[in-house]
Amino acid sequence: MSSNKKYWKSVEELENSSIVETLRNNEFVEEIPTEDFLGNNDAMSSSSTSRRDFLKYVGFSTAAATLAACEGPVNKSIPYVLQPEQIIPGVADYYATSVFDGFDFANLLVKTREGRPIKIDNNTISGAKFAANARIHASILSLYDNMRLKEPKSKGKSATWSAVDAEIKASLADAKAKGGQVVLLTNTLASPSTEKLIGEFIALNPTAKHVVYDTVSSSETLDAFESVYGERALVDYDLSKSSLIVSIGADFLGDWQGGGYDSGYAQGRIPKSGKMSRHFQLESNMTLSGAAADKRLAMSTANQKQALVHIYNIVTGSAVAVNLDNKFKVEVTKAAQQLKAAGSKGVLLSGIQDKNAQLLVLAINQVLSSEAFTTTGARQIRKGSNEKVAQLLSDMNAGSVHTLIMSGVNPVYTLADSALFAEGLKKVKMSVSLSLKEDETASIATIAAPVPHYLESWGDLSLTKGTYSLTQPTIRPLFDTKQFQDILMSLNGMSGTYYDYLKANSASIITGASWNKVLHDGVYVGGAQSLSGGSADYTTAANALAKSKAATGFELVLYTKTGMGDGQQANNPWLQEFPDPITRVSWDNYVTVSNADAKQLSMTNEIVANGGLNGSYATITTADGLKLENVPVIVQPGQAVGTIGLSLGYGRKAALKEEMQVGLNAYALYKGFNDVQSVSLVKADGEHEFACVQGQKTLMGRGDIIKETTLEIFNTKDAKFWNEVPMVSLDHEEVESTKVDLWDEFDRSVGHHFNLSIDLNACTGCGACVIACHAENNVPVVGKSEVRRSRDMHWLRIDRYYSSESTFAEDNDKKDNFDGLFGKNGSLGGFGEMEHAADNPQVAFQPVMCQHCNHAPCETVCPVAATSHGRQGQNMMAYNRCVGTRYCANNCPYKVRRFNWFLYNKNSEFDYHMNDDLGRMVLNPDVNVRSRGVMEKCSMCIQMTQATILSAKREGRAIVDGEFQTACSNACSTGAMAFGDVNDSESQIVKLASDDRMYHLLEHIGTKPNVIYHVKVRNT
């Protein structure tokens, strides 16, 4: 049978406090700000009806929203004097491009309207293998960041490019004359043309050298790969070829090795012909990969190292002595034996930043002959060297660096020894920082040189060996900027433009293809040869790793959050307001602590009266005495006991709006580029206020939200057993709820009728869909204070659920074997026990948006028919008609409607992108910007479906399956979301709608949604 295990959304909910109960029953838990909406008495004096009478007769909600709606924005339009030939007003243009900022990378299509880039889509052409994550989707907004550096500066004062150029050339000439050291410090470039330019620069400047610095280091992994295969690169695993995945400390569904593994992973996770891949995860912090795993072991990094050696012993037949904790030994042995049995269909991944550990990873995959592990097409996206960065720091402080030119790096913020770097910078005669913003490094460099955003730039990339992609500008530079490559060409004494240089250099790479073809497609795939080699002293590495010692005190594990990454886009409000997939907290970083450790240290989280989450503060102290004070605490189920987690990328101040200056800089603890540190943790005074959405907009405790089963039951039982349809009484007989209607059915077989399918097996909770929805539908950012009050405006949320037991079998066994109400095994006490979380709970993600019900509860209660049903299946909103009664929100069982409490556009109280002219350039002209007092929610991107219909009509052709898309389905790289027309009998959506795993959310209430879900199957 299907599971109806007790799910809980937060630690605080387990206590069943009266506050949580209140939040479940009351949508709006704070007093309504009457004066903010109604204004003062003077404003009402012209009316013969008093405010008291007005409220009495039409009700407060109607009055407040109606008056608010009267203040809609007035827009003026100015037509083109001479319309550009290539721009057709009202018609979108798409440009293929690629991005790599030193941390994130993807192959993209950029949507422009009237010359403005407004949205990022994935390039799906053959050869374009890397999809955009949430940060890349949000990078379109960073283009319009008003805090960008707009002109060159020398010694803090405005300067011209010619003056800056002359200064740098003079410094280089002086360095050459005196034999002074010249250093180019850059992020990993992965650009053949740029690396060639750097080579030419070094040839002209004999004392120059190039140092590559990755903010979040992969140096140990690179060292291991280089020692075996002779090239500094990373393995590009193809997880679609694996039936068994064992991951040790590698969040491969997150940012491990740059990410991009989710698509291949998802292919194996959807049960086909009774089979699906199996996934073991060994980790400290709860990650996206751990949340998706079939079996997760929460263990410290010290135990992970021992587990890796133990697996190495079993797979290779070695006998290295290990000191693995006995409580993990049985499960790790099972994983190792299954891995060995899987052979070429197995793969082992590890994120442990230790060269010996990474050598064992290579050894194990070689012995397995893993098909997912290949040296063909190795990743070129990390090249940094910890050793060379440390040497540069030493040289700078010794005064031996004459000229330092930095591009794409911000070491004054990201280096743990940032103070030492800043001191060394003072001893450098000429320092140049090429940056998008006047960040922490640029603000103290001799010259701050503004560079264009990647959407304003030309470039090329070789993200994996044998592939080539082009970056092309989609808009003219907004400010007085110059590319790093143009500056290098000038310093090299070269004439012409970088575009000419790029085009000429590409000719030797894109053999058999034209420049225009590659520029149009965005990508080119050549012949990639596998790297030869493949041997090292693995036994010595295993012995050395087995001798690793555990951390003293607490083990701090540093990581990058899904929303913020390495912190480059800290001034991006979309990312700041993006709820973390695991903790569901936005606008913050925090230390994650296990429940056991939290109790021992008297640290707590609790939901308070206004619906906000509060938590304790902590002080983290490193072994060398460095303190990070007033760190907010999140009690995190699944956190390994004795370990704590803290995310990088926060705590920035320079070139950020005040609202975005949040969190603490964890890079200060990133000593020696080691993401694991020994620290002490103590509780501090005070209480922190979080903006956490997890306790808000709950689905009222109903039991058939997440349906799941095991692969064994899925294969051996009938679908009615594991995907049970709720039964209701009709004429005193039990019938399936899906066959009972409150209203007469309409004929929906004519024209288009849209459905959106969501496969819970493929959804990883990455949140790319959330940001894509923001961009497509002009969703406003409301800020931390409003999110805390349950007023976030996300049209799409991804609910994260923890199960009450650590395994599916344990949960079912407990539930099925209750014996009466009372007694030792009674259900009365037993269900109470099931309220409590396991130390290592199972996790499920569920995207929830407007379900576009064919029998929509919202439509029947709207007094002005502002919400109604369209013939194509969408539940539509007429914003101009809405008077803000919010009856629809109260009657929605899915809690997906959002109310505009304020005017978020052109309002200094909400100083985000909609409050300045530059930021508003990202707005989609096809979607209305909603005003105060209006209810809004997912429209199933009706503007996109209508554009597809009109385009096909104009071209006189039928619409092919796959053309219809929504922002979320377009952004989904795993295929978890599929959109289409159910009246097209040959479409994919029809097959998905008739699949045995299909069910609707809250089927028993009879709303008949047009969003369908698929039962989650676990290969336990």
Side-chain angles (χ1 to χ4, degrees), residues 184 186-187 189-201 210 407 458-461 483-485 488 492 498 501-502 505:
L184 290 177
T186 73
N187 56 357
L189 297 167
S191 168
S193 63
T194 308
E195 286 167 358
K196 184 180 178 184
L197 274 171
I198 289 174
E200 292 165 351
F201 175 85
H210 181 206
S407 174
W458 284 103
D460 61 355
L461 295 169
Q483 285 190 233
F484 175 47
Q485 295 86 350
L488 278 177
N492 290 349
Y498 175 54
Y501 183 92
L502 175 67
N505 188 60

Side-chain angles (χ1 to χ4, degrees), residues 506-666:
S506 70
S508 61
I509 301 173
I510 55 173
T511 53
S514 68
W515 165 264
N516 286 342
K517 169 71 173 169
V518 177
L519 188 61
H520 173 270
D521 294 349
V523 294
Y524 166 83
V525 180
Q529 294 182 347
S530 60
L531 298 172
S532 58
S535 181
D537 189 353
Y538 298 126
T539 304
T540 301
N543 280 302
L545 192 66
K547 293 174 183 175
S548 300
K549 294 185 179 179
T552 56
F554 279 92
E555 180 184 280
L556 169 66
V557 181
L558 298 167
Y559 68 100
T560 54
K561 278 180 73 171
T562 304
M564 197 50 60
D566 64 350
Q568 289 186 55
Q569 296 190 74
N571 203 45
N572 191 311
W574 286 349
L575 294 178
Q576 288 284 8
E577 193 144 297
F578 172 74
D580 181 75
I582 300 295
T583 65
R584 308 292 285 135
V585 173
S586 59
W587 293 98
D588 255 319
N589 66 337
Y590 34 77
V591 59
T592 54
V593 183
S594 71
N595 189 46
D597 290 330
K599 285 182 178 177
Q600 187 175 0
L601 296 169
S602 301
M603 295 176 178
T604 60
N605 288 149
E606 62 174 347
I607 294 178
V608 294
N610 71 347
L613 179 71
N614 286 6
S616 303
Y617 281 116
T619 298
I620 300 174
T621 308
T622 63
D624 58 1
L626 177 66
K627 285 189 177 183
L628 200 59
E629 297 180 326
N630 292 328
V631 186
V633 174
I634 287 288
V635 179
Q636 177 61 60
Q639 183 78 34
V641 175
T643 72
I644 57 176
L646 182 62
S647 68
L648 303 165
Y650 285 82
R652 290 190 59 185
K653 304 292 182 186
L656 264 67
K657 287 185 176 181
E658 185 178 350
E659 292 82 358
M660 254 64 83
Q661 296 177 22
V662 296
L664 297 154
N665 185 4

Side-chain angles (χ1 to χ4, degrees), residues 119-124 129-134 137 262-264 266 270 756-773 796 798 847 849 944 965-979 988:
K119 189 172 181 290
I120 299 293
D121 284 333
N122 293 320
N123 189 347
T124 56
K129 62 182 293 186
F130 296 116
N133 58 22
H137 278 287
D262 48 353
S263 178
I270 299 174
L756 175 65
S757 169
I758 300 173
D759 195 322
L760 300 183
N761 263 52
C763 179
T764 64
C766 72
C769 53
V770 175
I771 302 296
C773 177
L796 162 62
I798 304 179
M849 66 293 290
M944 293 179 66
Q965 291 289 346
T966 59
C968 54
S969 66
N970 242 344
C972 185
S973 58
T974 64
M977 289 184 173
F979 183 75
Q988 180 196 12

Side-chain angles (χ1 to χ4, degrees), residues 911-927:
D911 193 14
Y912 309 109
H913 68 289
M914 286 190 185
N915 193 43
D916 63 75
D917 292 336
L918 188 62
R920 282 193 294 274
M921 287 180 71
V922 82
L923 296 177
N924 183 359
D926 291 332
V927 179

Side-chain angles (χ1 to χ4, degrees), residues 357-416:
Q358 294 301 324
L359 284 170
L360 295 192
V361 173
L362 300 178
I364 291 168
N365 285 316
Q366 286 173 352
V367 170
L368 293 172
S369 299
S370 172
E371 293 177 23
F373 173 92
T374 174
T375 59
T376 303
R379 292 192 173 196
Q380 309 290 305
I381 47 87
R382 299 287 187 268
K383 298 280 188 179
S385 168
N386 296 349
E387 185 181 343
K388 290 182 179 179
V389 173
Q391 184 60 51
L392 171 62
L393 206 56
S394 176
D395 290 346
M396 288 170 62
N397 280 278
S400 57
V401 177
H402 183 285
T403 304
L404 176 64
I405 301 175
M406 298 169 283
S407 174
V409 295
N410 183 13
V412 175
Y413 164 66
T414 58
L415 268 179

